[in-house]
Amino acid sequence: LLSFVSYYGAAFTSIKTCRCHRRFSTSHFSSSDGANEVVFSKRSTTTFETTFVSNRCTQESDKNVLSPTRLRKFLSRNCTQKPTSYRIVYDYDELVIGNTSSENTTTAVMLVHPIGVGIGKWYYDRLLNSLADANNNNVQQGGRMVFISPDLLGSYTASSPIRSDSGQELKKFPLLNTTDWAEQLGHLMSEYEQKSCEEGYEIRNWAIVANGGCAPIALKVAQSAVEKSAPFEKDLTNIVISSPPRLPFFLEGTDPHRVQRSYRTLSGVVGKLFWIYALRKEGKFIETFSKRNLVGDPASLGNHWTPNCVSAARHLGGKSKYSTFAFLSG
């Protein structure tokens, strides 16, 4: 348990075609300009359905750390079954800022939340609210911008996979990796380009913001853009990474044996006990740990941090724990 907690501390520092959209407004900010109303910012939540394929066997980076004999053993042990397709319905928050004139092109910003106990798209709520308030107070000037904050696969609303072939809902999430999350973002960006075009707003360029250990997800998306294999068409011009891990984190390969072994362990009794312990007393452990390890000033967490963590961690019977376990496994 202590070892898991230490990994958890480090944790705080993807998926194919869209099948349906459902959109509903949660907040609406506007300003009147004579007889014509100009919408400056709009906050909404969209439900998005996507698919991803499990059993990727091993990544190219994994092959570099395995001898040919160990690689053959790993492939025979983990790649005997055919890849399985899963459907996942999840939500993403959207904040649109700027004039609604169709003449304005749009800069779109994808916000990648950290992965941890109860973390989800709500992580950026205060940022989005601040941007909306600043914009309405005429602090934000210029063209049209949109900020998108999705739940990563296995987190919060995105933690209920259903087998595409049988329609069976899984109790345990398949092991996820950086590629899954990066592909999730890439295909969401592609679908959003199409959606914006249909609404009369052309996406001009993309930016990605990531935090801590999720920096490789943003870099993976950038790599696909450079290699011209990304499903989205517009240029990815900016990557913003806050609190990035040390350089060895990016350079060292991962041992798939260790990853699989760690995930099996954390998905068992050890992880279940930790999840119960973390959520007991309305998240007392989460609150204490966060104040001691995540921020310089405990007051900066705000009043909603712990309740949001607990609520998201309990959502869908606590299935979001598997994304945390996958992340901690390497």
Side-chain angles (χ1 to χ4, degrees), residues 23 68 146 170 210 212 216 273:
R23 181 175 179 173
V146 58
L170 301 187
L273 290 176

Side-chain angles (χ1 to χ4, degrees), residues 264-275:
R264 285 195 298 267
T265 300
L266 295 176
S267 299
V269 177
V270 174
K272 184 177 181 179
L273 290 176
F274 174 78
W275 210 255

Side-chain angles (χ1 to χ4, degrees), residues 11 24 26 31 41 46 48 61 72 78 97 108 155 168 179 195 218 223 258 289-290 313:
F24 55 95
T26 56
S31 175
S41 59
T46 300
F48 184 83
S61 59
R72 284 194 297 271
N78 296 280
I97 292 177
S155 301
Q168 178 186 3
T179 300
K195 170 177 172 287
Q223 180 183 11
R258 184 188 64 80
F289 180 89
S290 300

Side-chain angles (χ1 to χ4, degrees), residues 193-261:
E193 288 179 350
Q194 179 180 348
K195 170 177 172 287
S196 296
C197 183
E198 293 173 352
E199 295 178 351
Y201 303 105
E202 179 185 1
I203 298 294
R204 179 183 60 186
N205 63 295
W206 285 95
I208 296 183
V209 179
N211 176 272
C214 285
I217 299 176
L219 296 177
K220 194 77 171 179
V221 176
Q223 180 183 11
S224 68
V226 171
E227 296 175 348
K228 305 298 182 181
S229 61
F232 55 92
E233 296 181 356
K234 302 303 180 180
D235 291 337
L236 175 58
T237 56
N238 302 84
I239 300 177
V240 181
I241 300 175
S242 63
S243 302
R246 295 181 178 181
L247 187 60
F249 178 88
F250 298 96
L251 300 180
E252 295 175 355
T254 57
D255 184 345
H257 289 284
R258 184 188 64 80
V259 172
Q260 291 280 352
R261 184 168 59 250

Side-chain angles (χ1 to χ4, degrees), residues 77-107:
R77 182 180 302 173
N78 296 280
C79 303
T80 54
Q81 299 178 351
K82 294 182 179 180
T84 304
S85 176
Y86 298 95
R87 293 184 294 110
I88 294 181
V89 176
Y90 68 92
D91 295 343
Y92 67 85
D93 289 338
E94 173 188 12
L95 173 66
V96 180
I97 292 177
N99 196 300
T100 59
S101 171
S102 59
E103 297 178 357
N104 289 341
T105 55
T106 300
T107 295

Side-chain angles (χ1 to χ4, degrees), residues 1-13 115-117 262 265-266 269-280 284-294 324-325 327-329:
L1 181 59
L2 291 177
S3 176
F4 184 87
V5 171
S6 66
Y7 272 106
Y8 175 66
F12 264 100
T13 38
I115 297 177
V117 178
S262 298
T265 300
L266 295 176
V269 177
V270 174
K272 184 177 181 179
L273 290 176
F274 174 78
W275 210 255
I276 294 174
Y277 175 76
L279 301 182
R280 62 191 289 269
K284 185 64 177 179
F285 166 77
I286 295 176
E287 181 178 1
T288 302
F289 180 89
S290 300
K291 289 181 177 180
R292 290 180 178 178
N293 299 279
L294 304 185
T324 304
F325 298 162
F327 184 78
L328 298 179
S329 297

Side-chain angles (χ1 to χ4, degrees), residues 13-46:
T13 38
S14 196
I15 350 207
K16 299 248 172 144
T17 306
C18 165
R19 296 171 181 263
C20 67
H21 290 284
R22 180 168 60 85
R23 181 175 179 173
F24 55 95
S25 177
T26 56
S27 298
H28 195 157
F29 308 91
S30 62
S31 175
S32 179
D33 182 15
N36 299 320
E37 184 182 43
V38 178
V39 178
F40 282 100
S41 59
K42 178 176 58 179
R43 178 79 180 272
S44 63
T45 300
T46 300

Side-chain angles (χ1 to χ4, degrees), residues 55-69:
N55 191 18
R56 297 179 179 277
C57 300
T58 183
Q59 304 296 325
E60 291 297 328
S61 59
D62 297 331
K63 296 179 182 179
N64 296 330
V65 299
L66 293 179
S67 66
T69 302

